[in-house]
Coordinates of all heavy atoms in Angstrom, one line a residue:
P1 N 81.3 94.7 85.7 CA 81.3 93.4 86.3 C 81.2 93.4 87.8 O 81.5 94.5 88.5 CB 82.6 92.8 85.8 CG 83.5 93.9 85.8 CD 82.7 95.1 85.4
T2 N 80.9 92.3 88.4 CA 80.9 92.1 89.9 C 82.4 91.9 90.3 O 83.1 91.1 89.7 CB 80.1 90.9 90.3 OG1 78.7 91.1 89.9 CG2 80.2 90.8 91.8
M3 N 82.9 92.8 91.2 CA 84.3 92.7 91.6 C 84.4 92.9 93.1 O 83.5 93.4 93.7 CB 85.1 93.7 90.8 CG 84.7 95.1 91.0 SD 85.7 96.3 90.0 CE 84.9 96.0 88.4
Q4 N 85.5 92.5 93.6 CA 85.7 92.6 95.1 C 86.8 93.6 95.4 O 87.8 93.7 94.6 CB 86.1 91.2 95.7 CG 84.9 90.3 95.7 CD 85.3 88.9 96.3 OE1 86.5 88.5 96.2 NE2 84.4 88.2 96.9
S5 N 86.7 94.3 96.5 CA 87.8 95.1 97.0 C 88.6 94.3 98.1 O 88.0 93.4 98.7 CB 87.2 96.4 97.7 OG 88.2 97.1 98.3
A6 N 89.8 94.7 98.3 CA 90.6 94.0 99.3 C 90.4 94.4 100.7 O 90.9 93.8 101.6 CB 92.1 94.1 98.9
F7 N 89.6 95.5 100.8 CA 89.4 96.1 102.2 C 88.0 96.5 102.4 O 87.2 96.8 101.4 CB 90.4 97.2 102.5 CG 90.1 98.5 101.6 CD1 89.2 99.4 102.1 CD2 90.7 98.6 100.4 CE1 89.0 100.6 101.3 CE2 90.5 99.7 99.6 CZ 89.6 100.7 100.1
I8 N 87.6 96.7 103.6 CA 86.3 97.2 104.0 C 86.5 98.3 105.1 O 87.6 98.4 105.7 CB 85.3 96.1 104.5 CG1 85.9 95.3 105.6 CG2 84.9 95.2 103.3 CD1 85.5 95.7 107.0
L9 N 85.5 99.0 105.4 CA 85.5 99.9 106.5 C 84.6 99.4 107.6 O 83.4 99.3 107.4 CB 85.0 101.3 106.1 CG 86.0 102.1 105.2 CD1 85.3 103.5 104.8 CD2 87.3 102.4 106.0
P10 N 85.1 98.9 108.7 CA 84.3 98.3 109.7 C 83.3 99.3 110.3 O 83.6 100.5 110.3 CB 85.3 97.9 110.8 CG 86.6 97.8 110.1 CD 86.6 98.8 109.0
P11 N 82.2 98.9 110.7 CA 81.1 99.8 111.2 C 81.5 100.6 112.5 O 80.9 101.6 112.7 CB 79.9 98.9 111.4 CG 80.5 97.6 111.7 CD 81.7 97.5 110.8
D12 N 82.5 100.1 113.2 CA 82.8 100.7 114.5 C 84.1 101.6 114.4 O 84.6 102.1 115.4 CB 83.0 99.7 115.6 CG 84.0 98.6 115.2 OD1 84.5 98.6 114.1 OD2 84.2 97.7 116.1
R13 N 84.7 101.7 113.2 CA 85.9 102.6 113.1 C 86.1 102.9 111.6 O 85.7 102.2 110.7 CB 87.1 102.0 113.7 CG 87.5 100.7 113.1 CD 88.7 100.1 114.0 NE 88.2 99.8 115.4 CZ 88.9 99.8 116.4 NH1 90.2 100.2 116.3 NH2 88.4 99.5 117.6
N14 N 86.8 104.0 111.3 CA 86.9 104.5 110.0 C 88.3 104.2 109.5 O 89.0 105.1 108.8 CB 86.7 106.0 109.9 CG 86.4 106.5 108.5 OD1 85.9 105.8 107.7 ND2 86.8 107.8 108.2
V15 N 88.9 103.1 109.8 CA 90.2 102.7 109.3 C 90.0 101.4 108.4 O 89.4 100.5 108.8 CB 91.1 102.3 110.5 CG1 92.5 101.8 110.0 CG2 91.3 103.5 111.4
P16 N 90.6 101.5 107.2 CA 90.5 100.3 106.3 C 91.0 99.0 106.9 O 92.0 99.0 107.5 CB 91.3 100.7 105.1 CG 91.4 102.2 105.1 CD 91.4 102.6 106.6
L17 N 90.2 98.0 106.8 CA 90.6 96.7 107.3 C 90.7 95.8 106.1 O 89.7 95.5 105.4 CB 89.6 96.1 108.3 CG 89.9 94.7 108.8 CD1 91.2 94.7 109.6 CD2 88.7 94.2 109.7
F18 N 91.9 95.3 105.8 CA 92.1 94.4 104.6 C 91.7 93.0 105.0 O 92.1 92.5 106.0 CB 93.6 94.5 104.2 CG 93.9 95.8 103.5 CD1 94.2 96.9 104.2 CD2 93.9 95.9 102.1 CE1 94.4 98.1 103.6 CE2 94.1 97.1 101.4 CZ 94.4 98.2 102.2
I19 N 91.0 92.4 104.0 CA 90.4 91.0 104.2 C 91.1 90.0 103.3 O 91.1 90.3 102.1 CB 88.9 91.1 104.0 CG1 88.3 92.3 104.7 CG2 88.3 89.8 104.4 CD1 88.4 92.2 106.2
P20 N 91.5 88.9 103.8 CA 92.0 87.8 102.9 C 90.9 87.4 101.9 O 89.7 87.5 102.2 CB 92.3 86.7 103.8 CG 92.6 87.3 105.1 CD 91.6 88.5 105.2
R21 N 91.3 86.9 100.8 CA 90.4 86.6 99.7 C 89.2 85.7 100.1 O 88.0 86.0 99.7 CB 91.1 85.9 98.5 CG 90.3 85.6 97.3 CD 91.1 84.8 96.3 NE 91.6 83.6 96.8 CZ 91.0 82.4 96.8 NH1 89.7 82.4 96.4 NH2 91.6 81.3 97.3
R22 N 89.4 84.7 100.8 CA 88.4 83.7 101.1 C 87.3 84.3 102.1 O 86.3 83.7 102.3 CB 89.0 82.4 101.7 CG 89.8 81.7 100.7 CD 90.3 80.4 101.3 NE 91.1 79.6 100.3 CZ 91.6 78.4 100.5 NH1 91.5 77.9 101.8 NH2 92.3 77.8 99.6
S23 N 87.6 85.4 102.7 CA 86.6 86.0 103.6 C 85.9 87.3 103.1 O 85.2 87.9 103.8 CB 87.3 86.3 105.0 OG 87.8 85.2 105.6
R24 N 86.2 87.6 101.9 CA 85.6 88.9 101.3 C 84.1 88.8 101.1 O 83.6 89.9 100.8 CB 86.4 89.2 100.0 CG 87.8 89.7 100.3 CD 88.6 89.9 99.0 NE 90.0 90.1 99.4 CZ 91.0 90.1 98.5 NH1 90.8 89.8 97.2 NH2 92.3 90.3 98.9
Q25 N 83.5 87.7 101.1 CA 82.1 87.6 101.0 C 81.4 87.9 102.2 O 80.1 88.1 102.3 CB 81.7 86.2 100.4 CG 81.7 85.1 101.5 CD 83.1 84.6 101.8 OE1 84.0 85.0 101.3 NE2 83.1 83.6 102.7
V26 N 82.1 88.0 103.4 CA 81.5 88.4 104.7 C 81.2 89.9 104.7 O 82.1 90.7 104.4 CB 82.5 88.0 105.8 CG1 81.9 88.4 107.2 CG2 82.8 86.5 105.8
P27 N 80.0 90.3 105.0 CA 79.6 91.7 105.0 C 80.4 92.5 106.0 O 80.9 92.0 107.0 CB 78.1 91.7 105.4 CG 77.9 90.4 106.1 CD 78.8 89.4 105.5
A28 N 80.6 93.8 105.7 CA 81.4 94.7 106.6 C 80.8 94.7 108.0 O 81.6 94.9 109.0 CB 81.4 96.1 106.0
E29 N 79.5 94.6 108.2 CA 78.9 94.6 109.5 C 79.4 93.6 110.5 O 79.3 93.7 111.7 CB 77.4 94.6 109.4 CG 76.7 95.7 108.7 CD 76.9 95.7 107.2 OE1 77.3 94.6 106.7 OE2 76.7 96.8 106.6
A30 N 79.9 92.5 109.9 CA 80.4 91.3 110.7 C 81.7 91.6 111.3 O 82.1 90.8 112.2 CB 80.4 90.1 109.8
W31 N 82.5 92.6 110.8 CA 83.8 92.8 111.3 C 83.9 93.8 112.5 O 84.9 94.5 112.6 CB 84.7 93.2 110.1 CG 84.8 92.2 109.0 CD1 84.1 92.2 107.9 CD2 85.6 91.0 109.1 NE1 84.4 91.1 107.1 CE2 85.4 90.3 107.8 CE3 86.5 90.4 110.0 CZ2 86.0 89.1 107.5 CZ3 87.1 89.2 109.7 CH2 86.8 88.6 108.4
R32 N 83.0 93.7 113.3 CA 83.0 94.6 114.6 C 84.1 94.0 115.5 O 84.4 92.8 115.5 CB 81.7 94.6 115.2 CG 80.6 95.3 114.4 CD 79.2 95.3 115.1 NE 78.2 95.9 114.3 CZ 77.9 97.2 114.3 NH1 78.7 98.0 115.1 NH2 77.0 97.7 113.6
Q33 N 84.5 94.8 116.4 CA 85.4 94.4 117.4 C 84.8 93.3 118.3 O 83.6 93.4 118.7 CB 85.9 95.5 118.3 CG 86.9 95.2 119.3 CD 87.7 96.4 119.9 OE1 87.8 97.4 119.2 NE2 88.2 96.2 121.1

């Protein structure tokens, strides 16, 4: 099934960034500093 993870790896660093549920549809590329 289609499922979501609670975290992403931002493109500018290799540290997991946990995302609240309502923002998980935002692509990882958007979470730059």
Side-chain angles (χ1 to χ4, degrees):
T2 300
M3 61 184 77
Q4 289 180 334
S5 173
F7 67 90
I8 55 96
L9 289 177
D12 54 355
R13 60 187 64 208
N14 196 32
V15 178
L17 178 62
F18 285 82
I19 311 295
R21 179 184 60 85
R22 293 183 178 179
S23 298
R24 289 174 188 163
Q25 77 282 359
V26 178
E29 294 75 16
W31 297 100
R32 296 178 181 273
Q33 183 164 333

